Amino acid sequence: MTKRNTTKAVCPGSFDPITKGHLDIIERAAELFPSVVVGVLENPSKKPLFTLEERVRLINNAIAHLDNVEVTCFSGLLVDFVNKVNGNLIVKGLRAISDFEIEFQMALNNKRLSPEIETMFMMTKNEYSFLSSSMVKEIARYGGDIHDLVTPEVEQALKQKFSVSDK
Ligand code: ADP
């Protein structure tokens, strides 16, 4: 086996929208690895609230302080995307036991498809263990406070989405 001295990590997800839980994982990956790519999954079948362009803009805004992180969109298989950007590691966050089963399945399938790509999991920060994009959207839809869960730009974008869709 060849040892690699350069690791390019990919943090994949829908990011609809990016939360402080996502950002925490991206920041920790950026501390550990020389280069990180945030892979934004297109997946129109999930009917995202934010367009791909909006999601990318909000991520770019949230990661502006990280000079070794870039954002790229993808559709199709994650391992194909990782290979395309010359990545060799997938970094994902784990919130609860409920995340484990699906992540375990995905990691094993990705390993089967592309054995040279590793998957690593980082435990969420305690304060973000209950946090998901869908929770944030649900709270924002009914005017609840989300200021400690997302960046100010995301908070603003959510307010705008829901005020427009209510009219
Ligand atoms: P969600 O599950 O919120 O819809 P994504 O599909 O965008 O989010 O998830 C992308 C990655 O980010 C996954 O690995 C997921 O486990 C991780 N993630 C999402 N929210 C958090 C959080 N609060 N803490 C840690 N990791 C998270």
Side-chain angles (χ1 to χ4, degrees), residues 10-13 39-43 52 72-79 81:
V10 172
C11 296
V40 189
L41 180 62
E42 194 170 351
N43 201 359
L52 197 57
T72 308
C73 307
F74 76 102
S75 55
L77 290 176
L78 174 59
V79 288
F81 172 67

Side-chain angles (χ1 to χ4, degrees), residues 81-127:
F81 172 67
V82 176
N83 281 319
K84 197 172 134 202
V85 298
N86 290 317
N88 44 18
L89 178 69
I90 298 166
V91 174
K92 304 210 78 181
L94 276 185
R95 279 163 290 196
I97 300 172
S98 52
D99 274 348
F100 179 79
E101 188 151 358
I102 181 72
E103 293 294 350
F104 186 55
Q105 263 183 35
M106 288 195 285
L108 291 184
N109 277 296
N110 286 335
K111 195 77 187 161
R112 183 185 146 266
L113 291 167
S114 207
E116 66 287 357
I117 298 173
E118 283 298 340
T119 301
M120 277 182 60
F121 294 97
M122 287 189 198
M123 290 301 159
T124 182
K125 252 191 183 167
N126 211 7
E127 62 260 46

Side-chain angles (χ1 to χ4, degrees), residues 17-18 30 36 45 55-58 61 67 70 77-78 101 110 119 146-148 151 161 166:
I18 186 168
V36 175
S45 66
R55 284 180 276 151
V56 168
R57 182 178 56 76
L58 291 169
N61 178 282
D67 60 8
E70 60 186 278
L77 290 176
L78 174 59
E101 188 151 358
N110 286 335
T119 301
I146 50 163
H147 85 275
D148 50 344
T151 62
K161 275 275 174 206
D166 285 351

Side-chain angles (χ1 to χ4, degrees), residues 12-18 22 39-41 43 46 48 52 55 59 133:
S14 314
F15 304 100
D16 184 40
I18 186 168
H22 292 124
V40 189
L41 180 62
N43 201 359
K46 260 195 167 179
L52 197 57
R55 284 180 276 151
I59 299 168
S133 296

